[in-house]
């Protein structure tokens, strides 16, 4: 009892030092909080609540152009409006801080309708009276295993790169797995005091198929007896420094080497603690802790393998108090699984494993809101991210991660699903390069985003000229995003695989955090107005060309339009210094054929064949790109008899065209062009939201409505345009129909990496293998 009191006092003292992480930055938006859930374990408390967040969104509304001559009037007006966003907050902290945290919540909780707090975990009963007294809420206890499974299903379904394998001594300790389109069935090995083995078959169907009394409690209890060390984390720290071979008897200790006929290597453990029976010496605490950890981890690993084989399951997730992100634990379990299954089954760990119980308890209390009917996305601006598992790498940082840790998830406006045209959704990886594993690329892109920060801040302030406090908010954005970049430099695995896409998305999340929903709104408005004036002239000049000349001119126009990308520094520098830089100048910047990736001849040959049934076109930038590049190309497809679906961002990102803007642009172009007008009227040209708010594109998280349209229209051609969508992501994506991936490389470093130069062209036309015989017999070119 004295030891426990000492631990609490020491922890409480460290609470004072943790004021650099103030509670009002941790328990965010408490004034709008409701539906609390809590999961109290032996040493950690995990709290969940739901809140509504008021944030600004940029809306565009078309002007009425019928009443007067509107030659010089802007096409649409931009307004900032308040919208309500649903957010889930999950906070993890040591039990020593529970009273302080409950006090803070009580003091800042305003007008909540919540009368009940859902609770789970072994400590829920112990702290029941304290919670009810502090928060004036009735504690309603939920079944621990049901909560665990609900939470696990939720994170696997909603958080890409949730699961990872642990690889010791690799450049990146973590190898993240892609979200599988169907998460069931799987085996969950929950290692608490003992071990529970649960087979999960569906959202509400699971069964405890086995278990063991030898688990985390065994390690803690025997470890305390052997080393006189009472704290779990201290035991793990000892184990990380120990040599188990001093205590364990190996195969070579018995046979003098390997036992070849049985397939046993000399370094294999033949008997845990075997040497302690005969050796006449004292063993170090570190060596005994390491031996004990190996013994228990190997036992759990073998048990997991047997149950995985018994139930024919290859997806095995490990969680529970015993894991807690410690490298030695994850390594020994991984080694054990690999050994017993000969690599057929992988040991999978979860980035948010510590939150599963509280997420499940929260979902149980929020069933009337049907949270599972929505898609949710991790808010990188408000989430802590995974800390390094190496205790020696940054001990202070590791100590802080034990103090407070946060996860925030935002409800998305639409349900997100796979693009039905993915050849194999389970193996689809959106991102071309994993910066976690490519140190050179990581350092370049982190530097690149840091260097671009001044420009982003400047544009954010310029987008809100009537709001004097915009400059102050922009500086807060700068500080927050810079902090994120510094974190990712040391912990590239913090939010899953680090990619150019995740760096862009984190920046968008931070901009939204400080109410800058669309910093490029005025730039887009100006460029759209300007490009529209040249649309009819561009179409007329194309119609004067021969068929073959026109096809090349259309592709060249699309590529030239894609040059106008404010997200590329080489381009934004030109556009800011030379406002007269236009469509013709962009054409002259393009690389001459043969291009870096050049399948144009195959595409031309395909155009000599029958028209496609329906083309799905993922569009990129506003202004010249969409109006003078995309629309003439789409016009030609329509004239060939191909239906077209234009998929654009649901919300702003850089100068990408949004669905709202595209609706207005299409109306204006239809008023000028009978081809577009009739296609809109006859429903041969359809505009659909992609569900994305990113300059990149994840084809496994698209608007469910778009997926339905793709199926209904029997889409047989997918066109992906732009550096973010076709090079940083989807470069290697395999589709079950023909595809065109087009982009101009507007980054010298990337161009050099791909073997080209600035403004090199990627024109990649691909036909799936099973369709080549009926279409064209060619092999797409790819960079080495």
């Amino acid at each position: 009892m004295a030891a426990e009191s000492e631990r609490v006092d020491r922890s409480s003292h460290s609470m004072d030092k943790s004021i650099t992480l103030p509670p009002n930055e941790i328990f965010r938006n408490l004034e709008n909080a409701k539906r609390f859930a809590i999961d109290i374990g032996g040493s950690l408390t995990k709290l969940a609540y739901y809140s509504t967040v008021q944030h600004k969104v940029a809306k565009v509304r078309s002007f009425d152009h019928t009443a007067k001559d509107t030659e010089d009037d802007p096409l649409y007006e931009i307004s900032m409006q308040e919208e309500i966003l649903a957010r889930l907050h999950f906070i993890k902290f040591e039990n020593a801080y529970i009273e302080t945290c409950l006090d803070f919540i009580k003091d800042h909780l305003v007008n909540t309708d919540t009368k009940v707090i859902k609770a789970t975990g072994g400590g829920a009963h112990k702290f029941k009276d304290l919670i009810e007294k502090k928060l004036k809420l009735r504690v309603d206890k939920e079944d621990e295993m049901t909560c665990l499974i609900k939470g696990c299903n939720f994170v696997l379904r909603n958080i890409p790169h949730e699961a990872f394998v642990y690889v010791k001594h690799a450049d990146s300790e973590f190898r993240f797995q892609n979200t599988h389109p169907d998460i069931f069935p799987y085996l969950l090995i929950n290692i608490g005091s003992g071990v529970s083995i649960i087979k999960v078959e569906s959202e509400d169907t699971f069964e405890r198929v086995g278990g063991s009394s030898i688990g985390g409690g065994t390690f803690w209890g025997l470890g305390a007896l052997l080393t006189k060390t009472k704290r779990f984390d201290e035991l793990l720290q000892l184990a990380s420094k120990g040599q188990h071979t001093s205590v364990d008897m190996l195969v070579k200790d018995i046979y003098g080497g390997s036992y070849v006929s049985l397939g046993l290597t000399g370094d294999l453990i033949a008997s845990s603690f075997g040497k302690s029976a005969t050796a006449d010496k004292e063993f170090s605490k570190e060596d005994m802790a390491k031996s004990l950890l190996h013994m228990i981890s190997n036992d759990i690993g073998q048990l997991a393998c047997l149950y995985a084989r018994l139930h024919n399951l290859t997806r095995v997730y490990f969680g529970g108090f015993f894991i807690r992100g410690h490298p030695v634990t994850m390594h020994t379990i991984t080694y054990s699984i690999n050994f017993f299954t000969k690599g057929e089954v992988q040991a999978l760990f979860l980035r948010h494993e510590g939150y599963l119980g509280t997420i499940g308890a929260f979902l149980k209390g929020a069933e009337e809101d049907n949270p599972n009917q929505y898609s949710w996305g991790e808010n990188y601006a408000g989430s802590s991210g995974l800390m390094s598992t190496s205790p020696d790498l940054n001990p202070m940082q590791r100590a802080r991660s034990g103090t407070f840790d946060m996860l925030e998830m935002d409800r998305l406006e639409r349900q997100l699903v796979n693009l039905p045209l993915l050849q194999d959704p389970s193996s689809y990886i959106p991102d071309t390069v994993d910066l976690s594993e490519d140190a050179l690329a990581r350092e370049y892109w982190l530097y690149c985003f840091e260097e671009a920060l001044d420009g982003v801040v400047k544009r954010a302030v310029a987008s809100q000229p009537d709001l004097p406090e915009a400059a102050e908010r922009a500086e807060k954005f700068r500080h927050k995003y810079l902090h994120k970049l510094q974190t990712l430099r040391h912990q590239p695995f913090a939010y899953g695989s680090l990619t150019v896409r995740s760096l862009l998305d984190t920046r968008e999340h931070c901009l939204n955090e400080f109410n800058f929903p669309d910093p490029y709104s005025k730039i887009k408005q100006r460029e759209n107005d300007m490009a529209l004036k040249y649309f009819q002239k561009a179409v007329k000049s194309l119609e004067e060309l021969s068929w073959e000349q026109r096809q090349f001119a259309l592709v060249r126009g699309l590529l030239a339009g894609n040059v106008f990308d404010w997200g590329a520094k080489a381009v934004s520098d030109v556009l800011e210094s030379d406002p007269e830089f236009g469509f013709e100048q962009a054409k002259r910047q393009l690389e001459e054929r043969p291009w870096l990736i050049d399948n144009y001849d195959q595409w031309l040959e395909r155009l000599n064949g029958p028209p496609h049934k329906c083309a799905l076109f993922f569009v990129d930038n506003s202004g010249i790109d969409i109006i003078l590049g995309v629309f003439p190309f789409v016009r030609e497809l329509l004239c060939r008899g191909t239906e077209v679906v234009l998929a654009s961002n649901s919300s702003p990102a850089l100068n990408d065209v949004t669905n709202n803007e595209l609706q207005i642009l299409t109306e204006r172009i239809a008023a000028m062009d009978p081809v577009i007008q009739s296609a809109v009227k006859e429903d041969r040209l359809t505009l659909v939201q992609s569900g994305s708010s990113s300059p990149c594109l994840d084809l496994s998280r698209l608007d469910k409505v778009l997926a339905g349209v793709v199926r209904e229209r029997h889409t047989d051609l997918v066109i992906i345009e732009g550096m973010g969508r076709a090079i940083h992501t989807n470069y290697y994506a395999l589709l079950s129909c023909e595809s065109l991936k087009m982009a101009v490389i507007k980054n010298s470093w990337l161009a050099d990496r791909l073997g080209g130069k600035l403004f090199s062209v990627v024109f990649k036309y691909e036909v799936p293998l099973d369709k080549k015989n009926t279409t064209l017999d060619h092999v797409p070119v790819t960079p080495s």
Side-chain angles (χ1 to χ4, degrees):
M1 192 67 182
E4 176 67 18
S5 300
E6 181 185 90
R7 185 180 79 81
V8 172
D9 290 345
R10 189 164 61 241
S11 299
S12 299
H13 178 64
S14 70
M15 179 68 169
D16 298 334
K17 295 178 183 176
S18 75
I19 286 304
T20 50
L21 247 181
N24 62 340
E25 282 188 19
I26 296 156
F27 298 100
R28 303 200 317 155
N29 208 42
L30 272 172
E31 64 274 13
N32 297 316
K34 56 180 181 176
R35 286 197 192 84
F36 285 84
I38 199 162
D39 174 12
I40 308 173
S43 63
L44 292 174
T45 294
K46 287 78 69 177
L47 180 78
Y49 61 93
Y50 166 99
S51 80
T52 49
V53 182
Q54 219 173 20
H55 71 130
K56 288 192 182 335
V57 293
K59 294 283 188 184
V60 296
R61 185 169 67 90
S62 181
F63 282 116
D64 180 8
H65 294 284
T66 56
K68 59 183 190 317
D69 181 23
T70 56
E71 184 70 25
D72 297 318
D73 285 356
L75 177 66
Y76 54 79
E77 65 173 333
I78 306 159
S79 63
M80 302 291 282
Q81 295 178 18
E82 295 285 342
E83 270 195 3
I84 300 297
L85 173 77
R87 179 171 286 170
L88 302 181
H89 305 255
F90 305 100
I91 298 108
K92 183 165 59 180
F93 52 87
E94 291 176 17
N95 287 354
Y97 310 140
I98 191 166
E99 192 153 354
T100 309
C101 291
L102 290 173
D103 278 336
F104 184 87
I105 294 165
K106 178 191 71 176
D107 292 344
H108 291 78
L109 199 58
V110 183
N111 299 326
T112 180
D113 297 328
T114 304
K115 304 296 180 206
V116 174
I117 183 168
K118 294 285 183 181
T120 189
H125 178 75
K126 178 182 175 184
F127 290 100
K128 179 177 182 289
D129 292 343
L130 178 68
I131 296 166
E132 291 187 335
K133 178 186 167 189
K134 294 278 187 188
L135 298 185
K136 304 288 189 289
L137 299 175
R138 178 171 57 82
V139 172
D140 188 0
K141 200 163 184 319
E142 290 289 344
D143 177 66
E144 200 168 344
M145 208 57 70
T146 303
C147 292
L148 191 71
I149 301 304
K150 271 191 173 295
C152 193
N153 292 343
F154 185 83
V155 296
L156 288 174
R157 189 174 275 121
N158 287 286
I159 304 182
H161 298 167
E162 173 62 31
F164 62 89
V165 296
Y166 180 73
V167 187
K168 191 180 181 183
H169 301 316
D171 285 344
S172 174
E173 302 161 276
F174 306 90
R175 299 277 166 83
F176 291 95
Q177 306 292 295
N178 245 32
T179 306
H180 199 281
D182 184 6
I183 63 172
F184 305 110
Y186 65 84
L187 206 62
L188 178 64
I189 315 294
N190 191 55
I191 314 168
S193 299
V195 180
S196 287
I197 300 173
I198 306 120
K199 179 185 177 183
V200 184
E201 295 184 89
S202 72
E203 191 62 49
D204 298 306
T205 309
F206 63 89
E207 176 189 4
R208 187 182 188 277
V209 292
S212 170
S213 61
I214 301 170
T218 315
F219 173 69
W220 199 349
L222 280 177
L225 290 172
L226 290 167
T227 68
K228 309 304 179 196
T229 301
K230 293 290 184 183
R231 295 195 61 173
F232 190 85
D233 283 342
E234 284 177 17
L235 262 178
L236 285 168
Q237 189 75 2
L238 286 173
S240 70
K241 296 173 181 174
Q243 290 292 330
H244 76 98
T245 52
S246 303
V247 184
D248 293 341
M249 190 174 286
L250 308 182
V251 168
K252 66 184 176 186
D253 295 324
I254 300 173
Y255 299 106
S258 303
Y259 200 138
V260 180
S261 62
L262 290 181
L264 302 177
T265 64
D267 291 328
L268 200 67
I269 298 172
S271 173
S272 296
F273 288 91
K275 286 179 181 173
S276 61
T278 55
D280 188 20
K281 64 171 186 174
E282 290 290 316
F283 296 98
S284 75
K285 291 179 179 182
E286 289 83 358
D287 293 347
M288 287 191 291
K290 185 66 167 281
S291 175
L292 182 62
L293 185 65
H294 271 290
M295 181 180 81
I296 289 167
S297 297
N298 283 331
D299 183 63
I300 293 168
Q302 184 169 29
L303 202 60
C305 291
L306 291 170
Y307 277 100
R309 283 184 165 161
L310 181 65
H311 295 278
N312 198 27
L313 295 171
T314 55
R315 273 178 281 177
V316 182
Y317 299 103
F318 288 83
F321 177 81
F322 184 64
I323 306 291
R324 289 184 64 183
H326 283 274
V328 182
T329 313
M330 292 192 294
H331 174 65
T332 51
I333 285 175
T334 298
Y335 180 87
S336 175
I337 289 279
N338 286 341
F339 176 80
F340 289 117
T341 69
K342 296 181 170 59
E344 290 174 12
V345 175
Q346 282 186 317
L348 294 164
F349 304 97
L350 298 170
R351 194 152 61 90
H352 297 103
E353 180 274 321
Y355 290 115
L356 302 187
T358 190
I359 290 172
F362 174 82
L363 293 172
K364 286 285 284 182
E367 283 172 343
E368 66 196 69
D369 288 338
N370 299 317
N372 276 320
Q373 288 187 7
Y374 299 95
S375 289
W376 299 79
E378 183 174 5
N379 175 21
Y380 297 142
S383 297
S384 301
L386 194 64
M387 294 289 180
S388 170
T389 60
S390 174
D392 301 320
L393 189 65
N394 195 337
M396 286 305 294
Q397 200 172 58
R398 185 151 186 87
R400 166 57 51 78
S401 76
T403 305
F404 283 105
D405 186 77
M406 292 158 290
L407 165 66
E408 286 187 355
M409 297 189 72
D410 291 337
R411 192 175 80 188
L412 307 177
E413 290 179 31
R414 42 200 49 83
Q415 260 191 296
L416 303 182
V417 297
N418 280 301
L419 177 70
L421 298 170
L422 282 173
Q423 201 169 89
D424 178 14
S426 62
S427 64
Y428 168 70
I429 298 171
D431 302 288
T432 306
V433 178
D434 184 346
L435 303 179
S436 315
E437 297 180 13
D438 188 331
L440 193 66
R442 176 169 73 247
E443 191 48 47
Y444 170 76
W445 286 111
L446 286 169
Y447 164 77
C448 199
F449 278 87
E450 279 179 6
E451 191 186 30
L453 198 47
D454 283 346
V456 178
V457 169
K458 180 181 159 188
R459 263 181 283 282
V461 175
S463 71
Q464 299 179 5
D466 302 328
L467 298 174
E469 85 288 354
E472 185 185 340
R473 282 187 284 114
E475 282 306 312
K476 288 180 178 177
F477 153 74
R478 182 206 298 276
H479 178 77
K480 182 136 198 174
Y481 187 56
L482 197 57
H483 174 71
K484 292 286 178 186
L485 292 176
Q486 288 163 350
T487 299
L488 291 166
R489 182 168 269 114
H490 299 293
Q491 296 155 216
F493 41 76
Y495 299 100
S497 294
L498 181 64
T499 63
V500 172
R501 174 169 64 106
S502 68
L503 288 169
L504 285 163
D505 290 352
T506 303
R507 189 168 71 185
E508 293 299 325
H509 290 187
C510 290
L511 281 166
N512 278 303
E513 183 77 14
F514 296 101
N515 274 323
F516 293 108
D518 196 356
Y520 292 83
S521 55
K522 296 203 179 327
I523 291 172
K524 289 189 289 180
Q525 183 189 44
R526 186 176 68 243
E527 292 187 346
N528 285 331
D529 287 334
M530 185 269 294
L532 275 171
K533 292 172 183 172
Y534 295 96
F535 176 74
Q536 286 172 305
K537 183 182 174 185
V539 168
K540 189 172 185 295
S541 65
L542 285 164
E543 287 178 333
E544 290 168 356
L545 301 173
S546 68
W547 181 85
E548 194 161 318
Q549 288 174 326
R550 187 164 71 251
Q551 303 318 306
F552 183 67
L554 285 163
V555 166
R556 196 158 167 264
L558 240 179
L559 293 165
N562 194 244
V563 168
F564 292 85
D565 182 354
W566 281 86
K569 192 174 186 304
V571 175
S572 61
D573 287 349
V574 170
L575 295 175
E576 286 197 331
S577 61
D578 181 9
E580 299 303 312
F581 184 86
F583 196 35
E584 295 307 316
Q585 288 92 325
K587 287 178 186 175
R588 288 195 288 273
Q589 293 283 350
L590 294 177
E591 172 188 35
E592 293 295 323
R593 288 194 69 198
W595 296 322
L596 180 63
I597 309 295
D598 195 335
N599 297 150
Y600 177 74
D601 292 338
Q602 292 95 322
W603 171 246
L604 187 65
E605 188 182 340
R606 172 64 185 86
L607 290 178
N608 277 303
H612 296 89
K613 171 79 176 68
C614 177
L616 169 62
F617 198 139
F618 289 99
V619 298
D620 194 6
N621 307 306
S622 290
I624 288 176
D625 190 356
I626 186 72
I627 294 165
L628 302 183
V630 171
F631 264 102
F633 191 91
V634 165
R635 192 178 183 279
E636 185 77 8
L637 288 174
L638 292 166
C639 290
R640 276 174 58 78
T642 300
E643 294 178 4
V644 178
V645 177
L646 291 180
S648 53
N649 273 11
S650 299
S651 306
L654 294 174
N655 66 315
D656 293 359
V657 66
T658 64
N659 185 258
N660 283 348
E661 292 157 356
L662 189 54
Q663 299 275 358
I664 295 170
L665 293 176
T666 305
E667 283 173 24
R668 177 50 91 75
I669 290 170
M672 298 187 218
D673 186 344
V675 172
I676 300 296
Q677 189 174 63
S678 64
V680 170
K681 280 184 178 175
E682 294 161 15
D683 203 25
R684 290 183 294 111
L685 175 60
T686 311
L687 312 182
V688 187
Q689 300 185 52
S690 66
S692 174
S693 305
S694 171
C696 296
L697 184 64
D698 182 352
L699 297 175
S700 68
R701 284 172 71 81
L702 293 176
D703 190 345
K704 191 176 181 179
V705 172
L706 173 59
V709 170
V710 165
R711 283 196 194 91
E712 289 162 17
R713 301 283 171 115
H714 303 290
T715 302
D716 54 356
L717 172 65
V718 173
I719 303 169
I720 305 177
E721 179 210 8
M723 207 163 77
R725 291 166 177 79
I727 293 181
H728 290 313
T729 51
N730 300 304
Y731 191 82
Y732 297 115
L734 296 176
L735 301 174
S736 59
C737 68
E738 294 171 57
S739 64
L740 264 182
K741 298 170 189 173
M742 292 179 280
V744 177
I745 301 174
K746 293 147 292 196
N747 177 284
S748 299
W749 184 88
L750 181 60
D752 185 60
R753 248 208 175 193
L754 291 171
K757 56 186 187 300
L758 197 63
F759 299 117
S760 287
V761 168
V762 168
F763 187 90
K764 200 177 187 191
Y765 169 56
E766 295 174 304
V767 180
L769 286 169
D770 61 340
K771 295 202 168 83
K772 279 190 179 179
N773 294 333
T774 57
T775 317
L776 282 174
D777 196 19
H778 77 275
V779 179
V781 183
T782 54
S784 57

